[in-house]
Amino acid sequence: MVSDHRKQPRRRGDALNAAIFQAVLAELAEVGYARLTMEGVAERARTGKASLYRRWPTRIELVMAAVYHALPDPAATPDTGSLRDDLLEVLRRTAAALDGPPGRRCAGCSARR
């Protein structure tokens, strides 16, 4: 049985965004982009649809924000002393982050609604 999210402690800011992004990636892995809905994400994140629409007016914007959030921070790449090696490391980390169910499911994402 789904509990009413309004009866739970209120999350804001980074805590709420993290829960939403986690819910998006889980929905992508489970149902894929074509069947992902704002309602499903809101239910999984235990928040209201208004919280989603206030931040991301469209489904593609929400999905892309979640994917970007899951990617490694390029600024955190160690300095190898070689620009080429630094860029290769960023690309390796990005590929590793996208190599999984959410990344494969998101391969069908497009800007079309």
Side-chain angles (χ1 to χ4, degrees), residues 66-79:
V67 170
Y68 287 140
H69 179 76
L71 293 176
D73 179 10
T77 303
D79 185 1

Side-chain angles (χ1 to χ4, degrees), residues 4 9-10 25 30 51 59 64 69 73 77 86:
D4 188 350
R10 187 169 201 178
L25 295 176
E30 190 174 305
S51 294
R59 179 175 63 151
M64 293 311 299
H69 179 76
D73 179 10
T77 303
D86 292 350

